């Protein structure tokens, strides 16, 4: 019998394909801190086009992308961001928005499907008349797909409603889209439509898409100008970064179509696990493949 190990730790445990390695070896590069790396610019422009935003910026990780985005929108210390109590930004990013940015989190309960009740979000928005004693609400953050809800996907219609609420109250909307391509494939809805209501999005390329490193944040040109400066402040200027972006570009072009297969395998695994005595999996809740480093939601598996 031949023993074979199947590594299910995370969708981040990937290795560059031969095509990625070849692209890295031949990538045209320049100094990206000076805005001159053509391969980085090509990747940033492509992600901006896919998401329907004006511009993009390559960053080293999703955590950096979310931190920069929050700090651009919450540019005054003591600002407040409304986000899910079970969201990645709130739990798994070292409290960076507070420790580095002086931004106050206002957590709202995440439902099992990753959403937050619209009414609860509205109640969490601070009354400007209390600015003498309250933090000032500046931003709402969503996560799609939602990691700690087992990779559940937020619909475009739900996101639109949150966007309308934000706009009505003079707030910005940021989407942690670490797995936005997973959500797009699972829902059968273009990425651009899923993030239409958002002012900014962080898109990770090193998870299901399999690139070795990096994320791209997207938004308006003025947003990206501010984001670029913050990236430098955080030590994220990486000079000849085009060789990394070349691999990410290959991932973007070749691996999105493979996500459907990942989702089917995740569903098959769930169906198989539920056949094992003593295990129970909510098969209907398995919508996408998801990072196993994030614990499943309560009652997902027993």
């Amino acid at each position: 019998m031949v023993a074979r190990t199947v590594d299910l730790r995370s969708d981040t445990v990937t290795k560059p394909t031969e095509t990625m390695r070849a692209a890295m070896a031949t990538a045209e590069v320049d100094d990206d801190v000076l805005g001159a790396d053509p391969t980085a610019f090509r990747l940033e422009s492509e992600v901006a086009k896919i998401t329907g935003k004006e511009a993009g910026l390559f960053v080293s990780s999703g955590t950096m992308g979310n931190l920069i985005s929050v700090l651009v929108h919450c540019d005054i210390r003591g600002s407040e961001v409304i986000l899910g109590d079970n969201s990645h930004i709130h739990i798994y990013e070292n409290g960076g928005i507070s420790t580095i940015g002086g931004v106050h989190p206002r957590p709202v309960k995440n439902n099992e499907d990753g959403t937050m009740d619209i009414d609860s979000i509205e109640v969490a928005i601070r009354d400007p008349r209390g600015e003498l004693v309250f933090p000032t609400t500046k931003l709402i953050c969503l996560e799609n797909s939602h990691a700690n809800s087992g990779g559940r996907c937020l619909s475009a219609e739900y996101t639109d409603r949150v966007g309308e609420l934000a706009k009505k109250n003079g707030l910005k909307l940021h989407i942690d889209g670490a797995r936005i391509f997973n959500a797009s494939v699972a829902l059968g809805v273009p990425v651009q439509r899923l993030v239409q209501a958002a002012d900014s999005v962080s898109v990770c390329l090193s998870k299901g898409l399999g690139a070795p490193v990096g994320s791209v944040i997207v938004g308006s040109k003025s947003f990206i100008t501010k984001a670029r400066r913050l990236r430098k402040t955080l030590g994220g200027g990486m000079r000849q970064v085009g060789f990394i972006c070349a691999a990410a570009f290959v991932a973007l072009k070749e691996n999105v179509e493979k996500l459907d297969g990942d989702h089917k395998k995740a569903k098959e695994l769930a169906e198989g696990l539920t056949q094992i005595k003593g295990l129970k999996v909510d098969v209907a809740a398995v919508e996408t493949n998801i990072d196993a480093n994030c614990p499943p939601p309560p009652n997902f598996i027993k």
Side-chain angles (χ1 to χ4, degrees):
M1 180 180 291
V2 178
R4 181 182 174 211
T5 300
V6 178
D7 192 338
L8 298 177
R9 284 176 295 164
S10 171
D11 60 356
T12 63
V13 183
T14 60
K15 291 184 171 56
T17 64
E18 289 304 316
T19 306
M20 290 181 191
R21 292 177 188 273
M24 293 171 75
T26 59
E28 183 181 359
V29 299
D30 203 324
D31 192 330
D32 185 52
V33 174
L34 302 180
D37 192 298
T39 306
F41 181 73
R42 180 179 67 156
L43 175 66
E44 293 163 347
S45 298
E46 183 66 17
V47 177
K49 178 182 176 182
I50 290 171
T51 56
K53 305 305 179 186
E54 290 182 353
L57 181 70
F58 184 79
V59 294
S60 63
S61 68
T63 295
M64 178 177 279
N66 286 330
L67 176 59
I68 289 173
S69 298
V70 171
L71 297 190
V72 170
H73 294 307
C74 299
D75 54 354
I76 299 174
R77 295 181 68 84
S79 299
E80 189 167 71
V81 54
I82 296 171
L83 74 179
D85 69 339
N86 210 14
S87 66
H88 197 279
I89 294 176
H90 188 52
I91 297 176
Y92 293 113
E93 299 185 9
N94 299 109
I97 62 173
S98 298
T99 57
I100 296 173
V103 178
H104 188 263
R106 175 92 151 157
V108 171
K109 180 178 174 14
N110 277 122
N111 299 314
E112 289 188 3
D113 64 357
T115 63
M116 297 176 282
D117 290 338
I118 301 293
D119 290 345
S120 297
I121 297 174
E122 187 163 23
V123 168
I125 299 172
R126 302 287 188 177
D127 188 334
R129 293 172 296 181
E131 64 179 358
L132 179 65
V133 291
F134 294 148
T136 301
T137 308
K138 299 289 284 285
L139 177 66
I140 301 171
C141 289
L142 298 178
E143 182 181 337
N144 198 11
S145 65
H146 196 276
N148 268 8
S149 297
R152 301 293 291 274
C153 304
L154 276 57
S155 70
E157 292 75 19
Y158 171 79
T159 305
D160 287 347
R161 291 179 63 199
V162 177
E164 290 166 4
L165 177 64
K167 188 174 293 187
K168 183 178 77 172
N169 288 276
L171 310 179
K172 300 296 184 180
L173 173 62
H174 172 70
I175 294 179
D176 175 0
R179 295 177 177 83
I180 193 66
F181 285 97
N182 291 80
S184 172
V185 169
L187 295 172
V189 177
V191 170
Q192 179 174 344
R193 178 65 187 92
L194 290 179
V195 302
Q196 183 175 301
D199 296 285
S200 60
V201 188
S202 175
V203 179
C204 190
L205 302 169
S206 64
K207 294 186 171 66
L209 295 186
V213 179
S215 292
V216 174
I217 52 178
V218 295
S220 67
K221 290 180 180 179
S222 61
F223 170 86
I224 293 300
T225 296
K226 296 174 183 176
R228 187 178 298 277
R229 185 178 182 188
L230 276 168
R231 185 184 69 173
K232 186 69 170 70
T233 302
L234 296 171
M238 294 179 282
R239 303 300 177 184
Q240 287 74 30
V241 76
F243 80 97
I244 297 176
C245 293
F249 192 84
V250 171
L252 196 61
K253 290 299 184 181
E254 295 188 355
N255 290 347
V256 173
E257 63 185 23
K258 298 177 183 178
L259 294 177
D260 185 56
D262 289 347
H263 298 166
K264 288 177 180 176
K265 289 174 184 176
K267 178 76 80 170
E268 289 172 5
L269 178 61
E271 291 170 345
L273 288 172
T274 203
Q275 300 301 316
I276 299 175
K277 185 177 180 180
L279 293 180
K280 184 178 179 182
V281 179
D282 183 359
V283 176
V286 180
E287 297 177 352
T288 65
N289 187 38
I290 188 64
D291 183 347
N293 285 330
C294 296
N299 303 319
F300 180 76
I301 183 169
K302 298 179 180 178

